[in-house]
Amino acid sequence: QSQESLGQNVFQTQRRRMDPIMYLPPEICVHIFTFLPLKSLVLTASPVCSAWHTFTLTPQIWSQIISQITTGKTLIPELTHLDSNKEKLIFLLKDEQRTKITKNELCTSVGAWWFKFKISAGRYLIENDPYWANSSIPSMVFSTDGLLFRKQTNNLFSWRFVKLQETSTTPDDGDYDVVEVEGDEANLIQVNHFPPLEVMRYKKNWGWILQNDYVVMTSFALPPLNLKSGKWAGGGDGEAADLTEESLENMRSIDEQFIAHFI
């Protein structure tokens, strides 16, 4: 046996002693790596050595991660324009952070939106709101021609994408105008003359939430209310049971002084 061959055998033996996973068949190693969280896979496992780095690049692993993170999600973006699983995963992670909704998503992808008045809307509106009677259904339909129809009451409104524009040269004085946005996406929607609806994502299911001080619309089912406790009861599989009115308010970012202009 040559000196070079002997040296390689010694090296491989020492490596396996330090890294027992190298004794396993490659397909078993890859399967083990599929159980790692994405952050651990990229930041911890990949830099260990060249062999581990190679395992982390296996398409099977990225496919498994995509399957894991999209399970239970209500709105998954189109991925057919992307070639590799890694590209698809990166696209999904970026899309999860997106807070601007497109006209197509608002009017077509979602279909009908769930709606409820917040407690702050007042007793009369709450008493006449199907949600508070535990009989809510998806009822708000946005159309691409700028109309919003509420099925249960046959009300018709207008809507538009808007942005806030400061009207004063004095910083932080809360003086804004609502300006219509040219284009097919925005993070604010104004219905009639009402306070604009802020657009946000619900991290649990990647669904959309539209809300202002008085109303909430969601692209997914709102959990029914427990009338005795006054708290959310959780619906079906428990999805969105943590969307209390307090937590919804904590998601918001619009300046309260701006909201005061509409009151």
Side-chain angles (χ1 to χ4, degrees), residues 155-173:
N155 294 124
L156 193 63
F157 310 92
S158 63
W159 73 269
R160 59 178 183 157
F161 283 147
V162 297
K163 65 179 180 179
L164 306 186
Q165 183 170 291
E166 286 194 271
T167 58
S168 172
T169 56
T170 304
D172 302 323
D173 68 351

Side-chain angles (χ1 to χ4, degrees), residues 150-210:
R150 190 180 186 192
K151 294 180 179 179
Q152 291 165 311
T153 57
N154 291 326
N155 294 124
L156 193 63
F157 310 92
S158 63
W159 73 269
R160 59 178 183 157
F161 283 147
V162 297
K163 65 179 180 179
L164 306 186
Q165 183 170 291
E166 286 194 271
T167 58
S168 172
T169 56
T170 304
D172 302 323
D173 68 351
D175 195 6
Y176 301 96
D177 276 342
V178 176
V179 181
E180 187 165 356
V181 171
E182 295 293 335
D184 289 329
E185 64 175 12
N187 55 13
L188 285 175
I189 299 167
Q190 186 171 34
V191 175
N192 284 7
H193 61 283
F194 303 126
L197 297 161
E198 288 186 73
V199 178
M200 54 200 65
R201 300 295 288 274
Y202 184 46
K203 299 297 184 182
K204 280 190 173 181
N205 63 13
W206 294 357
W208 293 101
I209 298 173
L210 315 177

Side-chain angles (χ1 to χ4, degrees), residues 26 51 60 103 107 159 229:
Q60 177 187 338
K103 182 180 290 188
C107 304
W159 73 269
S229 66

